[in-house]
Amino acid sequence: MQFLSFLFPQVEFVLSKVKPVSYDDKGRVLPNPRHPEHDRLGFRNEAVPEEIDLLLMGDSQVYGTSVAREENFAAQLESNCGIEVYNMALPSYSPPYDLLNCDR
């Protein structure tokens, strides 16, 4: 099962309930690229686009914790405004976390 979960992130998600975030030793929120709904950088996008029109940062409301990825704020902006949006929001993010993460 561990081998399968390595090959298929969806298996790991079902078996262990992979969280969308983790925390480093300084308490900073980190995106989780192993979450099956996240892109390779760990944010809740289908993929990392070559170019974007709008970058979103925020907390669980912008992330869309209780809705499908296709229904979250970023997806709504993309479909209604016809622009490329990259969603860097994460549950439990807040302005202080944005400041803490500036040095990375």
Side-chain angles (χ1 to χ4, degrees):
M1 290 304 269
Q2 287 180 341
F3 180 70
L4 284 175
S5 68
F6 176 76
L7 291 177
F8 304 101
Q10 294 82 359
V11 172
E12 182 179 16
F13 178 69
V14 169
L15 294 177
S16 64
K17 293 293 184 188
V18 175
K19 304 284 187 215
V21 298
S22 61
Y23 300 89
D24 70 5
D25 58 344
K26 295 180 182 175
R28 293 184 290 194
V29 177
L30 302 174
N32 186 358
R34 296 184 65 154
H35 192 282
E37 285 196 347
H38 289 189
D39 62 25
R40 65 181 169 80
L41 299 179
F43 295 103
R44 195 176 188 200
N45 302 284
E46 197 168 325
V48 179
E50 294 279 326
E51 294 182 22
I52 61 169
D53 297 312
L54 181 64
L55 173 71
L56 291 180
M57 297 177 80
D59 58 11
S60 56
Q61 292 180 353
V62 178
Y63 176 85
T65 300
S66 59
V67 298
R69 182 174 55 206
E70 300 78 28
E71 299 173 336
N72 71 15
F73 184 61
Q76 295 299 314
L77 279 173
E78 278 189 338
S79 66
N80 290 319
C81 298
I83 59 175
E84 184 71 41
V85 178
Y86 189 70
N87 187 358
M88 289 183 66
L90 290 171
S92 76
Y93 248 29
S94 65
Y97 280 117
D98 293 335
L99 290 174
L100 286 172
N101 289 327
C102 285
D103 67 339
R104 297 189 321 151

